[in-house]
Amino acid sequence: IVARKLSSNASENHWSLRDDAAKTLAQACNLFGDEYVTLKAQVLKTLCGAAAPTDARGKRQSLPTTYGGFVGIMLFGPKAIDAFLLPLALGYWNQWEAQLETTTNLAARLDIQMCQQIALHAIGVYLRQASSSAKNVPGEWQQLEETFADRLVPMCEEPEEYALCFV
C-alpha cells in the first residue's frame, strides 16, 4: 500500500501513514467494489501477502509491512479477520514474544509491539462484531485463550466475565 521507504528519518511516525493508507484502501473498496467485482478479492490477496511471514520470493516480511497488512485486513471486518488474521496472529504471537525477550534494540522492540497491538485490536474487533455462532467454532476460542491468555479479558462481552477475573 505504501512505499518501502517512507521518510529519511526513522523516528517519523510511519505507523499513522500505514493506518491512513489502509483506511483509504478500505474506503475505495467499499466505494468501487460493486463496479469492480474482483476489487475486494484482489486487495485482500495483496494485504494477505503483506501480512504473511514471507513474500512471494520467500524473503521475510518486515514488521511494518506485516502491521500494514493486519490493519488493512482488519478493516474488511470480522469475516476477513476470522479467515485471514486469526491464523496469522496465532502463528506470529509466540514468535513475537520470543523476539521481545531477546531484542534490546528499541526500534525493533517498537516494531514488534506495534504488530502485537494491532493483532490484539483485530481480535477485539472480531470478538465484538462477529456473530455468536461464528465465535463458537470448536477449538478456536480455546486456541485464542491458550495463545493470548489474559490479554483477551478486556474483550469479553459480559462485564461479569471480566469482574470474575479479579475475584
Side-chain angles (χ1 to χ4, degrees):
I1 299 173
V2 296
R4 245 182 235 288
K5 187 169 182 171
L6 302 177
S7 69
S8 59
N9 186 352
S11 65
E12 288 183 27
N13 187 0
H14 61 90
W15 304 106
S16 64
L17 177 62
R18 292 172 195 282
D19 292 337
D20 291 343
K23 288 174 189 171
T24 302
L25 190 59
Q27 286 175 335
C29 285
N30 288 333
L31 189 61
F32 300 111
D34 292 337
E35 293 176 49
Y36 302 96
V37 293
T38 62
L39 179 63
K40 287 182 182 180
Q42 290 297 322
V43 168
L44 275 169
K45 180 180 177 184
T46 301
L47 291 170
C48 287
T54 57
D55 65 12
R57 298 179 309 248
K59 184 180 174 197
R60 188 171 171 217
Q61 296 284 29
S62 70
L63 289 170
T65 299
T66 300
Y67 174 91
F70 270 57
V71 172
I73 295 168
M74 179 185 69
L75 293 174
F76 280 86
K79 288 182 181 178
I81 293 169
D82 185 28
F84 305 114
L85 285 189
L86 290 183
L88 287 172
L90 289 166
Y92 275 126
W93 193 266
N94 291 331
Q95 176 186 340
W96 289 335
E97 288 288 302
Q99 288 175 348
L100 276 177
E101 288 179 15
T102 60
T103 302
T104 57
N105 179 302
L106 293 179
R109 291 180 66 81
L110 175 64
D111 289 353
I112 295 166
Q113 290 168 336
M114 290 300 291
C115 286
Q116 287 183 314
Q117 177 185 343
I118 198 61
L120 288 174
H121 182 66
I123 291 167
V125 168
Y126 169 72
L127 292 175
R128 283 187 299 277
Q129 293 182 2
S131 68
S132 59
S133 62
K135 290 186 264 186
N136 290 328
V137 175
E140 189 171 278
W141 179 254
Q142 182 180 355
Q143 202 174 9
L144 287 172
E145 279 184 323
E146 288 172 3
T147 303
F148 300 103
D150 293 342
R151 292 174 191 90
L152 295 178
V153 171
M155 299 174 205
C156 293
E157 288 181 1
E158 301 296 324
E160 294 81 24
E161 292 178 38
Y162 184 74
L164 286 175
C165 292
F166 293 105
V167 175

